[in-house]
């Protein structure tokens, strides 16, 4: 297959981790007989510096034309004092909205080799394997008005949802639960918010179409608590934009490092943007210290969800697991044993692991 991938490196460690993922994808191409072409384009602070906007029209056009999009990270102290329309984060929110990427999938998996790095007791976090499905183009992030009023003495942000926006994310979450552990937890604040009451109603309505999936509702504060008390109890969690943002950061550290977590942001036709959950980590940018695994695992999600390459995705995920099992880790995965390596060496190890499986993958592709 020939596939076009838009690459948006962004800021901080973004360029390093996207380069690592690109090298892994190229190896997958050689091994499985695909041709990937990459078009690099600017977003975030890098785009502000070059084009005086965090999201140039050209970037949106390149993404629309691509089969899938890889994004590194945006933001950094250099742009912190900028007015709101010139903030790097505007680029990220803008591309999600411009492309209609409403479904954000954030899998959180506890890897056996990394349990020691979790802030929770090993036995509590062991076996955790959840998927957070976050609504990404509505809610408080995009509601109007959002402004200071009365000479700056009053502020308003608006939490707005249309019924169809809730329906499509809830359906996506049910579909995900159906092919995973068949358990859906819907998170809301229905004891306070009207938007949450509609959300809950819709979840109950949709549940009738998924009799194979068990559903429970959890208030967001209780969900935050249960995530640290019993993370292994969750399968799929569905939440509105801001709740999903907060809970996914909380869940991510349970597994040892934010540096491991991938994400996919999808729209209904399959176009997707793939980015690590972590930020731009400006303190270690350019030092070859960043963990590239979240970006590499995001690329695996891209193979699966946008490019229809399931066995290629599994090959990458398997290679990552093998590299961890062999004791390789970056600085964020504090450990006394094993071998600490930098960004380049880590991605090279993943590539070598992929290559070492050539024969097996060859047999798989013959029979598929
Ligand atoms: C995320 C980030 C973004 C968000 C920021 C950078 C705007 O925290 O992807 O979770 O809040 O969505
Ligand atoms: Mg976040």
């Amino acid at each position: 297959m020939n596939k076009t991938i838009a690459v948006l490196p962004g800021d901080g460690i973004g360029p390093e981790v996207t380069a690592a993922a690109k090298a892994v994808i190229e190896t997958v191409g050689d091994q499985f007989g695909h041709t990937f072409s990459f078009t690099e384009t600017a977003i975030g602070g890098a785009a502000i510096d070059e084009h005086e906007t965090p999201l140039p029209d050209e970037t949106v056009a390149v993404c629309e034309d691509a089969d899938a999009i890889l994004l590194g990270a945006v933001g950094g102290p250099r742009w912190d004092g900028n007015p709101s329309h010139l903030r790097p984060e505007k680029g990220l929110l803008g591309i999600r909205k411009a492309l209609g990427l409403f479904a954000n999938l954030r899998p959180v998996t506890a890897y056996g080799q990394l349990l020691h790095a979790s802030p929770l007791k090993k036995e509590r976090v062991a076996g955790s394997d959840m998927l957070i499905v976050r609504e990404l183009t509505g809610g408080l992030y995009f509601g109007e008005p959002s402004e200071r009023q009365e000479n700056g003495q009053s502020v308003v942000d608006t939490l707005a949802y249309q019924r169809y926006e809730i329906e499509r994310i809830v359906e996506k979450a049910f579909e995900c639960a159906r092919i995973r552990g068949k358990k859906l937890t819907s998170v809301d604040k229905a004891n306070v918010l009207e938007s949450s009451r509609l959300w809950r109603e819709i979840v109950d309505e949709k549940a009738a179409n998924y009799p194979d999936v068990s559903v429970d509702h959890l208030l967001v504060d209780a969900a935050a608590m249960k995530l640290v008390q019993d993370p292994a109890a969750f399968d799929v969690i569905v939440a509105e934009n801001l709740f999903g943002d907060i809970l996914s950061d909380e869940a991510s550290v349970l597994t040892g490092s934010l540096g491991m977590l991938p994400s996919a942001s999808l729209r209904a036709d399959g176009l997707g943007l793939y980015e690590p959950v972590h930020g731009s980590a400006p303190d270690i940018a350019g030092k070859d210290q960043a963990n590239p695994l979240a970006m590499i695992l995001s690329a695996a999600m891209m193979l699966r969800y946008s490019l229809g390459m399931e066995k290629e995705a599994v090959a990458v995920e398997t290679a990552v697991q093998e590299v961890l099992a062999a004791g390789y880790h970056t600085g964020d995965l504090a450990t006394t044993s094993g071998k600490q390596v930098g960004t380049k060496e880590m991605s090279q190890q993943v590539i070598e692991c992929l290559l070492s499986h050539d024969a097996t993958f060859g047999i798989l592709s013959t029979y598929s």
Side-chain angles (χ1 to χ4, degrees):
M1 277 196 251
N2 287 346
K3 296 288 181 189
T4 308
I5 299 168
V7 180
L8 282 55
D11 309 318
I13 59 171
E16 296 161 72
V17 296
T18 45
K22 225 172 114 178
V24 169
I25 294 289
E26 270 164 350
T27 307
V28 168
D30 293 345
Q31 263 188 309
F32 290 86
H34 306 303
T35 309
F36 296 107
S37 39
F38 299 92
T39 313
E40 208 167 293
T41 182
I43 195 164
I48 294 172
D49 292 349
E50 222 181 301
H51 307 281
E52 286 164 27
T53 165
L55 184 62
D57 293 344
E58 158 80 6
T59 298
V60 179
V62 166
C63 291
E64 273 291 359
D65 279 350
D67 294 303
I69 305 144
L70 286 180
L71 186 146
V74 297
R78 272 182 51 206
W79 304 281
D80 275 353
N82 283 11
S84 77
H85 69 286
L86 285 179
R87 290 189 60 106
E89 293 78 9
K90 267 271 177 226
L92 182 57
L93 299 182
I95 193 81
R96 290 170 177 170
K97 191 71 175 177
L99 299 175
L101 306 167
F102 70 90
N104 186 215
L105 311 189
R106 299 187 160 184
V108 179
T109 312
Y111 291 90
Q113 305 82 10
L114 304 180
L115 293 184
H116 65 274
S118 172
L120 298 189
K121 292 191 191 93
K122 242 177 161 177
E123 52 282 14
R124 194 161 275 203
V125 74
S128 299
D129 178 12
M130 68 186 98
L131 175 69
I132 299 184
V133 179
R134 168 188 175 194
E135 200 292 321
L136 204 58
T137 51
L140 268 174
Y141 275 63
F142 295 99
E144 294 291 343
S146 169
E147 63 195 13
R148 290 194 185 217
Q149 300 170 332
E150 295 165 29
N151 266 340
Q153 298 314 297
S154 165
V155 286
V156 58
D157 284 303
T158 303
L159 203 179
Y161 271 112
Q162 300 288 322
R163 171 172 263 274
Y164 81 91
E165 294 178 292
I166 305 177
E167 284 179 349
R168 65 185 180 182
I169 192 72
V170 166
E171 273 165 15
K172 184 80 195 172
F174 270 111
E175 295 294 338
C176 292
R178 180 166 263 178
I179 55 172
R180 287 178 44 102
K182 299 190 178 358
K183 198 174 154 203
L184 179 65
T185 304
S186 171
V187 169
D188 62 37
K189 189 72 185 172
N191 53 347
V192 179
L193 300 176
E194 200 51 47
S195 55
S196 286
R197 289 192 272 271
L198 178 60
W199 181 281
R200 205 175 262 225
E201 250 171 69
I202 292 174
V203 171
D204 288 337
E205 275 169 36
K206 296 284 169 199
N209 304 333
Y210 299 89
D212 48 328
V213 176
S214 74
V215 184
D216 62 344
H217 300 279
L218 215 48
L219 296 173
V220 62
D221 44 357
M225 200 163 65
K226 191 165 168 187
L227 266 176
V228 288
Q229 278 174 333
D230 192 10
F234 290 100
D235 177 22
V236 177
I237 296 176
V238 63
E240 71 88 33
N241 204 342
L242 183 64
F243 295 160
D245 176 49
I246 297 168
L247 292 182
S248 59
D249 263 30
E250 184 189 355
S252 69
V253 292
L254 301 180
T255 63
S257 172
L258 190 54
M260 291 298 301
L261 290 198
S263 82
S265 305
L266 306 173
R267 87 181 169 197
D269 68 359
L271 181 72
L273 179 148
Y274 299 84
E275 58 175 318
V277 171
H278 64 67
S280 60
D283 51 323
I284 57 165
K287 295 185 179 162
D288 193 42
Q289 288 176 9
N291 183 350
L293 294 181
M295 188 76 241
I296 290 171
L297 291 168
S298 301
M301 290 185 87
M302 172 185 81
L303 294 168
R304 170 173 298 122
Y305 291 109
S306 287
L307 306 184
M309 299 180 182
E310 174 65 23
K311 64 178 183 301
E312 291 83 343
V314 171
V316 173
E317 288 162 352
T318 307
V320 166
Q321 279 179 18
E322 287 179 4
V323 166
L324 290 172
Y328 291 98
H329 59 89
T330 40
D332 54 311
L333 302 170
T335 178
T336 44
S337 58
K339 186 165 186 274
Q340 184 162 325
V341 292
T343 313
K344 290 197 183 111
E345 174 69 14
M346 192 61 153
S347 52
Q348 194 49 40
Q349 288 299 330
V350 174
I351 287 169
E352 272 161 33
C353 223
L354 272 170
L355 292 172
S356 73
H357 283 291
D358 206 20
T360 328
F361 293 149
I363 290 165
L364 278 177
S365 54
T366 313
Y367 285 93
S368 62

